[in-house]
Amino acid sequence: MLVERINILQEANVISKEVGDYVIKVIDFFDEYKFDESKMEMFTTHLAMATQRTVDQNEELEFDESIWSQIELDPKFNQAIKLYDMMSKHSPVPYMESERKFLIMHLCNLSQD
C-alpha cells in the first residue's frame, strides 16, 4: 500500500522518479521496524513531499521553535535522530533545516508505541 501511494504521486508528476525510488528504499529499510501502517503513510507522504521540495529548491517551510523544543524532550528523540541519519545518507539531496525538523518530528511519532 505504501509503495502504491508513492507510485501514484510519481504518476501524477507530484514527485520525480528519483524521489519515488528514494522513498521506496526508505520504506523497505523501515519494514524491519514494523511501524504502524497509518503512521508510515503519513511519514512517507511527508518524506516524498519534503524531498521533492528540497530537490526543487522551493522556499523553506517555517518550523515553530517552541514545537521543536518539545520534540527534543520526546523519549524517542534519540532513536528518531538515528533513523533520520540512516535514511538521509541515501537522500538525493541534503534536507533544509526545517524539513529535517519536520522529518524528525514524524520519526518520533513513528517510534511511539
Side-chain angles (χ1 to χ4, degrees):
M1 186 67 171
L2 295 173
V3 172
E4 288 175 26
R5 179 179 280 233
I6 300 308
N7 288 335
I8 290 168
L9 291 173
Q10 274 184 248
E11 290 167 9
N13 293 316
V14 174
I15 62 171
S16 68
K17 179 170 177 15
E18 177 185 36
V19 169
D21 290 348
Y22 164 66
V23 175
I24 290 169
K25 283 181 190 175
V26 171
I27 290 168
D28 290 343
F29 173 74
F30 281 7
D31 188 52
E32 71 180 77
Y33 291 90
K34 306 295 183 216
F35 291 129
D36 177 80
E37 183 80 14
S38 64
K39 289 180 181 181
M40 274 297 290
E41 287 176 4
M42 185 184 330
F43 170 72
T44 55
T45 300
H46 184 80
L47 176 62
M49 300 308 294
T51 307
Q52 191 62 57
R53 275 192 299 272
T54 304
V55 166
D56 294 342
Q57 298 180 352
N58 284 347
E59 186 174 323
E60 189 167 0
L61 300 176
E62 290 188 32
F63 194 92
D64 186 332
E65 289 304 314
S66 64
I67 293 172
W68 181 247
S69 62
Q70 293 299 310
I71 293 167
E72 290 177 310
L73 298 174
D74 189 297
K76 301 292 185 170
F77 181 75
N78 289 332
Q79 179 181 356
I81 293 291
K82 288 177 185 173
L83 290 170
Y84 173 83
D85 289 345
M86 286 188 286
M87 69 172 214
S88 66
K89 287 178 189 175
H90 304 286
S91 174
V93 289
Y95 290 104
M96 296 177 277
E97 184 62 14
S98 62
E99 298 290 6
R100 183 184 79 82
K101 288 178 178 180
F102 272 115
L103 290 169
I104 291 169
M105 178 184 71
H106 280 287
L107 288 165
C108 283
N109 183 46
L110 264 181
S111 299
Q112 300 301 319
D113 298 328

